[in-house]
Every structure is written in C-alpha cells, then in structure tokens.
Amino acid sequence: MKSIHFMGIGGVGMAGLAFLLKKAGHNVTGCDKYATARTRWLEANGIPVEVGHSPDHLADADELIVTPAVPPSAPELAEAVNLASAQTARAFEVRYRGAVLAELVNAAQGIAVCGTHGKTTTSTFTTKLLQALGASPSWCIGGETGDMPVAGSDGSTLVVEADESDGTLALYHPHILVLNAVDFDHLEHFASPEAYFDCYRTAIRNTRDTVIVCADHHKAAALAREAIAPGVRLMTFGSTSSADVNAADWSHLASLVLGHHNVLNALAAVSVALARGHSRDAILAALPTALAELPDRRFQKIAEQGGITILTDYAHHPAELKCAVDMARQLNPKRLRVLFQPHRYSRTRALLTEFPPAFAQADEVVLIPVYAAFEQPLPGGDIADLFRAFREYFPREGATRLPANALKLARSADEAWRHAFLSAEPGDLILLAGAGDIINLLPRVLADMTDARLSTRGADVVPLAPLSFFRTGGVTLGGGERVIVGMGSNTWFSDCTTDAEVIKPNLPTGASLLPTHPELAFMAGIPGTIGGWVKMNAGAFGHSISECIRRVKVDGEWLDRDSCGFAYRHSGIRGVIEDVEFVDDPPACDGTCADFLARRKKFPPRTCGSVFKNPTADTPAGRLLEEAGAKNLRVGGASVWSEHANVIVAGEDCTSSDILALARLMAAVVREKFHVNLQPEIRGLVV
C-alpha cells in the first residue's frame, strides 16, 4: 500500500483516479485551490482534501500525482521533484495521471474509449449499458450524470475515458479499444498531425482483443486498419452500409438521443456490449435506461424560465461546436444565441479558420477571451484573432445568419452573460459553449433566471453609440453601475447590452478654458468637456492639465489636487466634476494655441484620439506601434489611421467589437516585438 497525494484532486479526471486508488487499498490525500462538490464527494469516500497548495502536503506521501497542467514552477511540484531526485533512503515518485490510469486499465478487463470527440458520452453510455445488462463494471470518466459520479469500483471490468492530450494514450493495453472520430488537436503537446495520430496508432497496436472504430470517420477507420495487431478483432459501427453495427439496424436510437453524433456514441456502446457477448434483445431492452441522460456539460439544460432556455456544452473543438450548434438549431428556437469561450491559445491559432463555419446556424455569437489553461499568450491565438476570422468569414452585409451586428466580442464572460440575459426574449435559446471557466457563470445564470429577475429588467433602452466619438456601441437598460461621460471624445462602449446608468453632465467644452488660461495652450485641438479633460487628466506634447489645477469640485465637495489621484491620462475622480480651480502660478507653456494647433495632426471623423498611453515620456506609443507594423492592421470596419499608428478610425460598417479586437491586435504586435504592454488611453477598452 502506498501513500499517494493528488495535486489538483478536484479535477474531474484526477478525482476519478483518486477514488479508484483509494478503493484499491492505497492511502490517498489531495489538495486543490477550492472546495467543490467533487472534493466533498471525495471526502465522503474517505479521501482528505486540503484547500490550497503547499509542499507540506508531501510530508507523509510516497508519491505525487499531477497532470501536465501543473507548471514545473509550482512549489508543491518543485518540492516533489526534489524529493524524487534526492539520494536518500526515502523513495518518492512524481507521476502523471494518464500513466497511472493506463496501469489500472492494463491490469483489468480494460475498455478504453478514445478519440478527439465523444469520449465522455461514449464512456458513460457504455458503463450504463453494461450496468443495465446486469454487469458490474468499474469506471473512470471525465464527466458525471445525476446518478453516476466520475468513478466507481464495482468489478474487474474497467471502463475509462482514455485521454490522448498528453500522449499517455500510447501506454494503454486494453482488452477493448473504442475509437471515435479523430481530428488533429492538442497542439500544446503534439508537434504535428502525424505525431498526434501516431499516439492512436500505438494504442490500436497495443489492444489485446477487440478494436471498435467509427466507420463514418474515414481517418479513424484507416488508422484502425493500418495499426491493428494480428489476431485482434476489428469491429466497425456507423451509418455506412458496410459497418458491422449499422445505424439502420438500430434506427430507434434516434428517438432516444438528440443529434447524429450521439447516435454514433450510442452505437459505440452497443458495439462494446455485442463484443462482450450480450444479445441484441437484451441490449434493446437496456438502451432506454442506458441512454436516458447525457453527462454533465454535454448539451445540459441549466435553466428554463419565461420562454428562455439556457444550455451549456463542453464543446471546444470546431467539429464539436458544429454538433452542439446544429443540435440546438434542431430545437427550433426563435433565436439561437451562443456564448463561446475558446480553450487554449494554441488550439485557437491552429484551428482559427475552422471555428467560424461551425457557428453558421447561430443567430448571434458572443466571443469571450481565450481560456489559457497553462499556456502563455501566443501570436495569432488571441480572441481578437478569432474575432477577425469570424468577420472575414461572414459577409458584412447580405443574407446571412450572422451579420456584423450579430457578432460581438465581450471583455469577459460576465459581460457576455449580462448582455445575453438583459437582451433575452421569449423563444431564445442561449448556449454557453467552451471547456474553460465559462462554467463559473452557472451560479449567476441560475440566480438571474428567476421570474422576479426576468420581470424587473429595465425597459428604457438608451443607445450608447451617440455618446462616443466612434459612434459605435450597444444599448443600456439603466439601473446598474453609474458611468459618467462628457462629450464622449475618449470613451468606447461595448456592443454588449448593459444596465449601466450613463450620465452625461451639461458641462462646458474644454476649449472654452483656453482664452483665459494661456498656460493650457498645449490642449488646443483636444475635444472634450472641462470635466472630461480633468477626469482623464488629458494632455499633449509632454504636458497634462493636472499640472495647472489647485482643486476640483466633485458632487458638491472640493477636493485638493493631491486627493484627485492624478496619474498619466487618469484620475481617481468618480463623481460629476462641477468646477475647477487653477493655480495662480502655473508652469510656463512653450507656445500659443496657434503654435500647438499647427503641430497637431487633424484627426479624421469617428476617432477617439490616441488609443494607448505612452509607456514613458521618451517612448511614444505611436512610434512603437508604427515600428511593429500596426498601420497594416484592420478588423471589420475598424482600421489603424494611415497618418498615425496610435489612432483607430471607425468606418461605415464598424462595430465596437471591431475596435476592441483591433486594439487587442495593436497591443499584441507591440508586446511581441518590444515586450512592452501598452495600456489603453481610451476608457472602456481592455487589451
């Protein structure tokens, strides 16, 4: 018996393996960032779980089990590596989850389900079908249903979801291998498609009794025929007439599950049962029970109120997303609205042009920033790159399910959900798709989707586009966070619906100060109100308006200069600026208004001036952007001004999402070339 510690034990795959090792007689402990329903389930099964990570957790352990998602720099893992390499009497190992699970499968009557898509659902269907047929399989699956946790230990047969993402699929030697559809994926581990498919070839070659493969997927079928070992049986399933287990012979499956891909998943489970000697009649009788429920986050209904339906799906590969979107369309909603969070920069970059077609059946798509997992940002893999790919794929005008105003780029998952909720109408189906932390929205979704909240949403729609010089933006229903704008000369509004309370004070223009304050001549030509100038600490040519201010009256109270929180193009002022008092002896200004106007470029219509702050007084953002090639950038109707690389111009068909995506790309090229993180000067942008 070993003492085994799991780092990140609350993960679905880690929890299942921990449970199996505990049932096998080992002393198992674990830790994770947070306590969850899954960690509480583990504790109920005799596995202590610590909240938080610490090297102290290894004091009594013989082994640490981790996943590749844990960075080597993590203190707990670093200490474990030190223990494993130390020349002491204490034997200590660091092992990866996939390798340990493969050992359990190889020692059992193992049934390993693999493939790029459908592993969790097929594993669940297979386990439940065997149970309904009277068998008592053990299982370890990357998902759970209402009556079936992620793992169970009931017998010598072990059904597992065999993950290829870290290459450990090649370590499996199962009795039965199920191979679903395969598409190149997991670019973070595999250097090429050939390396990815070689992992499957090895698993097929290692299989001891039967390989069951989807005949509909030509690549999977070809891999099986190519790599299968002599004496090992090959079974095929699918809708092709040549398949051994044919959908036409099991046509009633379409009435038990939604979507052709789930019919194939069910056929795979039927094939396993047939391979194990169960009769057709027995399988037919067991199928309604086995297929009654999909695993969690597989087209799972979260809420349904007021004619509005909310579903979530784990889909994150283009092929999976197309299945999920098409399946949602089959439910005939009035509007099909998808909130999508890509998973990993590497996948986003490699499959960039494959994502947009997957959403062709949607009426609206809201893109959410990429969930990084353990990756660092990659050029070409940002959410802005994906948004640009969508804009280039779908026509900007004309008959399409996804015109420009139906494609939105949110700054966060919270903003995406707030938009979907505030703009929801009876008949809407809202699909939350992705494998990242978009799932963390669910508590808020459940809280929002009540009759009371639905009936009290604001009804006074205020368009935000007229309040910004860009002339873009969504609408607000009011009643939420207070936002104060002046002329809108330095403000960007999201396309997403909001409930912000937007206040536009009746303040004089900043230019009205210039005749009586010659020390502010450097502000000549800068648009905005006096309040806007002060609140954003506006300036130019190396000067800022705060240099000349003694105090500011905000919501009836005078604040001295030091209390205003002035910084470069920023202040800490939160209320309405009613008055400004200037110092008696301002710094000398090195020119007149006419001098500065002559030096200033004349901005084209529909711009908000400089997009980014200068990193330092001696390092203009415009110069960095120009040298990084930003002038060549365009997204949809937004482009970088040919006269100045730090200015975005909104064209006729421009949306706020175009501007946000373009700003992110501008920041990315500077970060890539100069390792400088530009900070937006325009309020509202997040890069």
Side-chain angles (χ1 to χ4, degrees):
M1 181 183 78
K2 291 182 179 180
S3 290
I4 304 173
H5 183 72
F6 280 75
M7 185 178 177
I9 198 169
V12 63
M14 294 286 274
L17 179 59
F19 176 89
L20 292 181
L21 291 177
K22 174 68 176 178
K23 290 298 182 181
H26 297 288
N27 179 32
V28 178
T29 61
C31 61
D32 215 318
K33 284 184 179 180
Y34 311 105
T36 63
R38 195 170 294 129
T39 62
R40 290 188 286 273
W41 172 76
L42 288 166
E43 290 184 311
N45 282 280
I47 300 175
V49 178
E50 295 282 347
V51 175
H53 297 297
S54 169
D56 294 342
H57 297 158
L58 307 175
D60 299 319
D62 303 314
E63 184 175 303
L64 175 69
I65 294 180
V66 295
T67 72
V70 178
S73 59
E76 201 167 347
L77 177 55
E79 175 62 15
V81 171
N82 289 337
L83 288 172
S85 60
Q87 300 295 318
T88 66
R90 179 186 179 187
F92 192 91
E93 286 187 279
V94 178
R95 308 187 69 198
Y96 284 99
R97 172 198 172 271
V100 179
L101 182 59
E103 287 184 359
L104 296 184
V105 171
N106 298 345
Q109 290 287 319
I111 301 173
V113 179
C114 66
T116 315
H117 320 296
K119 294 186 291 291
T120 304
T121 301
T122 300
S123 302
T124 300
F125 285 170
T126 299
T127 302
K128 287 195 166 190
L129 180 56
L130 294 179
Q131 288 174 332
L133 289 166
S136 298
S138 299
W139 70 90
C140 186
I141 299 173
E144 50 197 340
T145 65
D147 62 349
M148 183 176 154
V150 294
S153 182
D154 295 333
S156 59
T157 297
L158 175 59
V159 181
V160 302
E161 176 180 337
D163 183 18
E164 82 284 3
S165 65
D166 60 357
T168 53
L169 175 63
L171 302 178
Y172 283 78
H173 294 258
H175 280 264
I176 296 177
L177 182 77
V178 178
L179 178 58
N180 287 335
V182 290
D183 289 302
F184 182 38
D185 198 1
H186 296 293
L187 305 310
E188 77 284 357
H189 180 82
F190 295 98
S192 66
E194 197 61 21
Y196 179 74
F197 295 126
D198 274 345
C199 187
Y200 286 102
R201 290 186 182 96
T202 302
I204 294 165
R205 196 174 297 117
N206 290 344
T207 301
R208 290 181 273 178
D209 185 80
T210 304
V211 172
I212 297 171
V213 65
C214 180
D216 287 19
H217 198 281
H218 302 305
K219 182 64 177 180
L223 287 174
R225 289 191 297 269
E226 173 187 337
I228 194 165
V232 174
R233 175 172 50 164
L234 177 63
M235 287 181 66
T236 59
F237 66 91
S239 54
T240 63
S241 58
S242 60
D244 299 318
V245 183
N246 195 294
D249 297 329
W250 300 81
S251 57
H252 65 295
L253 289 175
S255 65
L256 297 176
V257 294
L258 182 64
H260 180 67
H261 62 292
N262 279 326
V263 170
L264 293 177
N265 293 334
L267 279 174
V270 167
S271 300
V272 172
L274 290 170
R276 287 173 57 87
H278 295 282
S279 70
R280 175 184 171 87
D281 289 344
I283 294 171
L284 285 169
L287 280 172
T289 299
L291 307 181
E293 190 175 10
L294 289 169
D296 62 338
R297 296 198 65 189
R298 271 66 179 181
F299 212 69
Q300 180 183 6
K301 183 182 290 186
I302 299 302
E304 190 168 23
Q305 291 284 353
I308 300 164
T309 302
I310 315 295
L311 301 177
T312 184
D313 199 282
Y314 190 73
H316 53 283
H317 185 282
E320 299 164 350
L321 288 159
K322 185 179 188 310
C323 287
V325 172
D326 290 354
M327 193 158 53
R329 175 56 61 190
Q330 291 177 38
L331 299 177
N332 297 316
K334 178 182 176 182
R335 291 191 302 176
L336 172 54
R337 311 174 67 196
V338 185
L339 278 54
F340 172 55
Q341 180 189 45
H343 187 264
R344 291 185 175 148
Y345 301 109
S346 57
R347 179 182 287 112
T348 305
R349 181 172 68 176
L351 305 178
L352 196 67
T353 59
E354 297 180 34
F355 280 105
F359 294 85
Q361 291 296 313
D363 296 305
E364 180 187 59
V365 175
V366 184
L367 297 177
I368 297 169
V370 175
Y371 180 72
F374 54 88
E375 292 184 338
Q376 295 299 311
L378 292 173
D382 187 70
I383 192 63
D385 296 287
L386 183 58
F387 179 87
R388 181 168 58 179
F390 268 83
R391 282 292 260 137
E392 291 173 353
Y393 179 80
F394 289 101
R396 298 178 192 170
E397 302 292 340
T400 172
R401 282 196 176 276
L402 206 60
N405 61 4
L407 175 65
K408 294 176 171 59
L409 176 56
R411 292 167 290 182
S412 67
D414 281 343
E415 181 178 59
W417 165 248
R418 181 171 60 174
H419 160 74
F421 171 67
L422 292 173
S423 58
E425 300 173 358
D428 282 0
L429 189 158
I430 302 172
L431 175 64
L432 313 181
D437 57 8
I438 188 174
I439 192 67
N440 294 340
L441 286 176
L442 296 192
R444 181 175 177 182
V445 171
L446 293 172
D448 285 348
M449 292 298 293
T450 65
D451 289 334
R453 289 294 300 273
L454 284 172
S455 63
T456 56
R457 288 181 301 165
D460 297 327
V461 176
V462 176
L464 295 174
L467 301 179
S468 167
F469 274 25
F470 278 129
R471 297 295 183 262
T472 63
V475 300
T476 181
L477 307 183
E481 177 188 5
R482 191 182 188 207
V483 176
I484 300 168
V485 297
M487 291 178 64
S489 59
N490 208 32
T491 303
W492 171 92
F493 292 106
S494 173
D495 288 324
C496 294
T497 302
T498 178
D499 56 358
E501 181 186 2
V502 179
I503 299 171
K504 185 175 173 62
N506 186 21
L507 297 172
T509 65
S512 64
L513 287 173
L514 299 182
T516 56
H517 291 275
E519 72 274 14
L520 296 178
F522 61 86
M523 298 291 291
I526 297 179
T529 61
I530 295 174
W533 276 12
V534 174
K535 181 164 290 190
M536 295 301 294
N537 192 18
F541 303 107
H543 299 283
S544 296
I545 193 171
S546 60
E547 298 169 9
C548 304
I549 290 174
R550 173 181 286 122
R551 60 178 185 163
V552 180
K553 191 176 183 180
V554 181
D555 290 343
E557 180 181 354
W558 282 99
L559 302 177
D560 61 50
R561 183 187 183 284
D562 292 340
S563 300
C564 292
F566 285 121
Y568 177 60
R569 302 297 176 261
H570 175 77
S571 78
I573 299 171
R574 292 291 175 263
V576 176
I577 295 174
E578 299 172 353
D579 200 356
V580 182
E581 189 176 285
F582 293 92
V583 297
D584 295 330
D585 53 345
C589 187
D590 54 349
T592 66
C593 288
D595 295 332
F596 286 107
L597 283 172
R599 295 167 60 185
R600 183 178 300 283
K601 290 181 182 292
K602 185 178 180 181
F603 289 95
R606 297 186 69 187
T607 75
C608 283
S610 295
V611 178
F612 295 102
K613 301 175 183 179
N614 295 331
T616 69
D618 299 327
T619 311
R623 190 187 74 200
L624 296 179
L625 286 158
E626 178 143 9
E627 292 180 11
K631 280 188 177 179
N632 297 319
L633 294 175
R634 168 185 287 273
V635 177
S639 60
V640 177
W641 187 26
S642 60
E643 296 293 318
H644 198 305
N646 196 19
V647 175
I648 289 176
V649 180
E652 289 185 5
D653 61 345
C654 183
T655 68
S656 283
S657 295
D658 291 344
I659 295 165
L660 175 59
L662 180 56
R664 291 182 70 104
L665 294 178
M666 292 165 70
V669 295
V670 169
R671 186 168 55 246
E672 177 68 12
K673 184 174 180 64
F674 297 109
H675 307 289
V676 172
N677 292 316
L678 293 179
Q679 298 302 313
E681 185 170 323
I682 296 175
R683 186 170 64 167
L685 287 178
V686 175
V687 299

